[in-house]
Amino acid sequence: MDTIKLLVCLDEHYLPPLQVLLTSLHISHPDEKMELYLIHSRISDQALEPVKKQCLSFGCPIYPIQIDSGFFREAPITRQYPQEMYYRLLAPHLLPREVSRVIYLDPDTLVINSIRPLWETDLHGCLFAAASHTGTTELINSINQVRLGTENKYFNSGVLLMDLEKGRRKIIPEELFQYTRDHSKELLLPDQDILNAMYGSQTLELEDIIWNYDARNYTTYLLRSGGVSDIDWVTRHTAILHFCGKSKPWQPGYLHRFGILYKHYMQLTRKTGYYQEG
């Protein structure tokens, strides 16, 4: 089987969650070959060293890619629109050309079952595959469609399967930067809004309950499934848990149901001897 290629884009503050994510990937894929690309702007070699050692112990090569700010000379860069927000969408131009497909993961995710089926998903000519967190109604989708002037569902950008070869032809950095300039007042979640406004029609919809499960919304998923997707169902079938929102499970006082599972993976990561406490 071919190697699953993964992408994360983050700063130094998110290295501890990345390490927990790596532990979950290793446990869920004991026999899979994987490699990790990490796009960043200023993570020090010293801070990266424990992550590199952890990846080495897991047999997962890591390729840090430090971005030259000159690439973003023409980009609107502000406190609201930092350089880093563009990384995942411009990954086709930032990753090595020999990489043709990648799974992007936010660092606040856990992988608890195989992502091989996601890796092998036929994109049917689309640039991306992503999930929409629709909840029990279509209200949020409708609001976002009006706000962004789109017709497609509103996709979450925290988990993306990306066709990089097509992206190198279809995603034009100057067009993306110009859209940001023209619509800066409308962008609430900038990178996610840009994904939906510019590329939503070229995005294949994934099942969120499998590939991008919003860990805050257990009751919603349970109701939506008619009581089928209980905890046992999630642990057997869901591949990626996403700890969306401002409250995170590595912070004190996290109240949502899957926080204890995250703490378990944190403890397993500590036992590797490489974990950097946040």
Side-chain angles (χ1 to χ4, degrees), residues 89-199:
L89 295 180
L90 293 179
H93 302 286
L94 302 175
L95 293 175
R97 294 196 68 82
E98 61 268 21
V99 182
S100 61
R101 169 178 283 223
V102 77
I103 295 174
Y104 168 82
L105 294 172
D106 269 355
D108 59 350
T109 54
L110 283 180
V111 177
I112 61 173
N113 282 299
S114 176
I115 56 173
R116 168 65 62 177
L118 175 59
W119 176 249
E120 295 178 347
T121 294
D122 186 343
L123 282 167
H124 299 287
C126 290
L127 277 172
F128 300 100
S132 174
H133 289 157
T134 55
T136 55
T137 73
E138 293 297 314
L139 179 61
I140 298 299
N141 269 326
S142 300
I143 291 171
N144 285 313
Q145 286 169 351
V146 171
R147 182 171 63 85
L148 298 174
T150 61
E151 296 181 355
N152 48 270
K153 287 189 175 182
Y154 187 77
F155 296 107
N156 181 275
S157 62
V159 177
L160 299 170
L161 175 64
M162 309 173 67
D163 182 337
L164 299 176
E165 291 183 342
K166 186 178 288 289
R168 291 179 183 114
R169 301 192 303 270
K170 298 289 188 179
I171 298 175
I172 312 301
E174 293 76 14
E175 292 179 359
L176 193 152
F177 300 154
Q178 189 60 51
Y179 182 89
T180 305
R181 290 189 199 95
D182 294 343
H183 299 273
S184 60
K185 293 181 180 178
E186 299 134 55
L187 301 178
L188 301 180
L189 299 169
D191 51 348
Q192 190 161 281
D193 283 352
I194 292 169
L195 167 72
N196 282 276
M198 297 188 71
Y199 311 112

Side-chain angles (χ1 to χ4, degrees), residues 192-244:
Q192 190 161 281
D193 283 352
I194 292 169
L195 167 72
N196 282 276
M198 297 188 71
Y199 311 112
S201 63
Q202 301 174 70
T203 300
L204 177 74
E205 185 177 4
L206 300 172
E207 283 189 89
D208 60 326
I209 198 169
I210 302 293
W211 301 116
N212 193 341
Y213 185 107
D214 188 335
R216 300 169 297 184
N217 292 337
Y218 172 78
T219 301
T220 298
Y221 287 112
L222 189 63
L223 290 172
R224 198 169 75 184
S225 68
V228 172
S229 58
D230 58 11
I231 289 286
D232 288 336
W233 189 97
V234 171
T235 56
R236 290 198 307 271
H237 297 95
T238 295
I240 303 171
L241 291 173
H242 190 181
F243 294 87
C244 305

Side-chain angles (χ1 to χ4, degrees), residues 25-93:
L25 279 160
H26 177 64
I27 291 172
S28 301
H29 302 80
D31 302 314
E32 286 276 12
K33 290 184 178 180
M34 296 187 174
E35 56 189 41
L36 176 69
Y37 293 85
L38 191 167
I39 298 178
H40 70 99
S41 59
R42 50 186 172 271
I43 301 177
S44 68
D45 290 340
Q46 181 180 359
L48 268 179
E49 193 59 29
V51 181
K52 290 178 179 179
K53 289 179 178 177
Q54 182 185 11
C55 285
L56 181 63
S57 73
F58 289 164
C60 174
I62 180 171
Y63 302 102
I65 299 173
Q66 187 163 10
I67 300 303
D68 183 345
S69 59
F71 184 89
F72 293 95
R73 274 194 306 271
E74 305 301 319
I77 302 292
T78 65
R79 179 176 294 181
Q80 185 182 3
Y81 308 124
Q83 176 178 306
E84 288 79 4
M85 86 167 201
Y86 298 106
Y87 289 171
R88 78 189 77 181
L89 295 180
L90 293 179
H93 302 286

